[in-house]
Amino acid sequence: MLFIAQKHDKKHWVNLGQSFQRVALTASSFNIKHAHINMPCEVLEVRRQFQNYLGLEEAQPLLLLRIGYAQAMPTSPRRPLEEVLIDKS
């Protein structure tokens, strides 16, 4: 799955991030996993080649995902909130 920003500016980056979050949360609710495969989007020369190959003109490919069903991975242990908050009072 490829997420594309129509313009290369902060507003469109935020919109793209919000779209990704909706997709990721919906996928998770169906037990669909995702993994970021972002090198084609992060390396400028490769991004331009990707952009040209897809005929995107000025639109920017910014987030590439692999999605599908997979075995669950171990979760990271989390500490209680009280252990990580810094009280500045």
Side-chain angles (χ1 to χ4, degrees):
M1 179 177 284
L2 179 63
F3 289 82
I4 298 167
Q6 292 303 313
K7 294 184 180 179
H8 203 43
D9 61 20
K10 289 180 184 179
K11 176 186 173 187
H12 288 86
W13 298 337
V14 169
N15 290 342
L16 184 138
Q18 291 172 333
S19 294
F20 162 70
Q21 282 194 317
R22 285 190 294 275
V23 167
L25 290 170
T26 301
S28 293
S29 73
F30 289 105
N31 202 29
I32 297 172
K33 311 298 186 212
H34 68 275
H36 295 259
I37 311 172
N38 243 24
M39 187 281 288
C41 300
E42 292 175 358
V43 177
L44 189 55
E45 183 176 325
V46 178
R47 183 192 313 163
R48 286 186 183 136
Q49 291 173 4
F50 202 26
Q51 202 173 6
N52 290 336
Y53 179 78
L54 295 172
L56 297 178
E57 298 179 11
E58 296 301 313
Q60 300 286 312
L62 296 180
L63 182 59
L64 182 61
L65 299 178
R66 178 180 174 186
I67 61 172
Y69 294 101
Q71 296 295 321
M73 299 297 291
T75 58
S76 298
R78 302 288 182 210
R79 294 188 293 174
L81 186 60
E82 298 76 28
E83 287 184 24
V84 296
L85 284 180
I86 299 172
D87 185 7
K88 293 191 175 194
S89 56

